[in-house]
Amino acid sequence: MKAALKTWTALMAVNGAFCCGPAWADWRDDIGTFRIGIVAEPGAGNTVPGLAVLTQAFTNALGMKVEFVVARDYAALIEAQANARIEYAIYSATAYAAALQRCECVEPLVAPVDSNGAAGIRSVLLTRDGKLPGLADMETRRIAMPPPDSVGGSLLPLAGLAAEHVRIAEDAPFLVHAPSASAAETMLVDGEADAMFGWVKAAADGQPRLPGGTQARLEASDLSASALQVVWTSGLLRYGPHAVRGDLDPEAKRRLTVFLTNLKSTTPDVYDLLEPKHAGGFMPVAPKDYAAAEAIVRMVSVDGRQQVLQQSLQGIVTLLRGRR
């Protein structure tokens, strides 16, 4: 009897190894090394401040080997994630939207906020002393517009108005193309323009304005706050997300989200290394939060604005055109 029991136990152990072994497989084993893509700051080459500290922090959060991959620009970062060479990427808002258009394989996890709660920017059409009563009167006024490298003052308003069926041609006679955002502000202050496109910081809860941006700078100049009126406000352009491949294991996504949303409170020094520009911590985000960024990328890719893509998207739209 004992011999039979030992034989049965041995057979069950063998069968368990064959039938149930794969259940022991872990998503970490499938990935091997978790690779995080990041674009270095201009002039920094392939260096990222605090890289060893960041690598260890992500290693602890995921329980696996982590490696940072420094891309030369966002176009290279998009290609790396689209081709599954990296699992995780830190994008600008428009770069994320371009990545989504490239392969629909990316998913935003979190995005930073400012210490005052700002989650991004909104474009605004500002006038002084009521000179522009409404959008219907634009063609009879002079409206200053910053160059394309001012996303909030150029790309966002053009895309946002088009979504509201108010399409403005780049060569519209009522537009006065300023060489810089500050030059556009000067035109409004000096009376050379009746209105201008600019931007304001905004929270995610619909609050239209927080300190900072074009309106604050104008109010700090010779224009009083009472002299300025907001004629139109766009949707929110969120700060750029940390995004993963959509096919990443749900447990990995959960671990990353928990790690990132708690990072500011648990290890603020690591947070400052990972996100030096926005001091308020990370918030979970969803694809719908980047509708404004998607509208910008669609507009640029359809219109073929070469100057726009060179100045603001680092050749991303060129990449997209080559893949369509």
Side-chain angles (χ1 to χ4, degrees):
M1 181 68 178
K2 291 183 178 179
L5 181 60
K6 288 182 179 179
T7 302
W8 179 84
T9 302
L11 286 172
M12 289 302 294
V14 171
N15 287 338
F18 281 105
C19 74
C20 303
W24 290 87
D26 190 89
W27 51 270
R28 300 173 184 83
D29 299 326
D30 295 334
I31 296 173
T33 299
F34 190 88
R35 292 181 170 84
I36 299 172
I38 188 170
V39 174
E41 291 295 323
N46 290 329
T47 62
V48 176
L51 188 59
V53 174
L54 290 172
T55 301
Q56 188 59 53
F58 275 94
T59 297
N60 294 342
L62 291 170
M64 66 180 300
K65 182 180 178 181
V66 171
E67 177 182 300
F68 272 79
V69 177
V70 181
R72 66 180 181 276
D73 54 29
Y74 283 122
L77 189 64
I78 290 170
E79 276 297 275
Q81 194 165 37
N83 293 323
R85 295 196 301 272
I86 59 174
E87 285 73 40
Y88 179 116
I90 302 174
Y91 286 120
S92 69
T94 48
Y96 162 74
L100 186 64
Q101 185 174 340
R102 164 69 175 83
C103 70
E104 296 187 356
C105 62
V106 295
E107 176 183 328
L109 283 186
V110 301
V113 296
D114 290 328
S115 56
N116 62 3
I121 64 171
R122 295 180 187 271
S123 175
V124 288
L125 178 56
L126 294 163
T127 190
R128 59 175 298 183
D129 303 321
K131 291 181 179 179
L132 178 65
L135 293 178
D137 304 289
M138 284 193 296
E139 294 185 3
T140 64
R141 302 293 190 273
R142 289 170 57 83
I143 300 176
M145 175 170 277
D149 60 359
S150 172
V151 175
S154 179
L155 298 182
L156 181 56
L158 290 175
L161 286 170
E164 298 178 21
H165 308 290
V166 181
R167 187 167 179 82
I168 300 176
E170 193 174 11
D171 58 352
F174 59 86
L175 288 181
V176 182
H177 293 282
S180 66
S182 60
E185 293 166 10
T186 300
M187 289 179 182
L188 186 64
V189 171
D190 293 346
E192 297 177 14
D194 302 308
M196 71 163 291
F197 286 107
W199 59 273
V200 295
K201 289 189 175 183
D205 59 6
Q207 184 179 349
R209 181 198 168 192
L210 289 167
T214 307
Q215 192 168 350
R217 289 198 298 271
L218 288 169
E219 290 173 1
S221 66
D222 295 333
L223 290 181
S224 65
S226 60
L228 288 171
Q229 296 86 41
V230 177
V231 178
W232 170 84
T233 303
S234 76
L236 180 69
L237 180 66
R238 295 290 296 250
Y239 295 141
H242 291 222
V244 296
R245 283 186 56 86
D247 56 6
L248 183 66
D249 189 275
E251 174 60 13
K253 296 176 186 178
R254 186 195 68 79
R255 282 174 171 261
L256 287 166
T257 302
V258 170
F259 163 64
L260 292 166
T261 53
N262 287 289
L263 190 59
K264 177 67 177 179
S265 59
T266 57
T267 47
D269 54 334
V270 177
Y271 175 85
D272 292 340
L273 288 172
L274 188 61
E275 179 45 69
K277 296 179 180 178
H278 305 289
F282 289 113
M283 292 179 59
V285 289
K288 63 181 177 60
D289 294 322
Y290 289 91
E294 289 186 61
I296 290 173
V297 170
R298 283 195 302 269
M299 178 190 72
V300 174
S301 60
V302 169
D303 290 358
R305 300 170 186 237
Q306 294 300 313
Q307 183 183 15
V308 169
L309 66 89
Q310 289 175 5
Q311 293 184 9
S312 63
L313 295 181
Q314 296 187 4
I316 290 174
V317 178
T318 297
L319 171 71
L320 291 171
R321 285 186 175 279
R323 299 290 178 181
R324 293 181 70 174

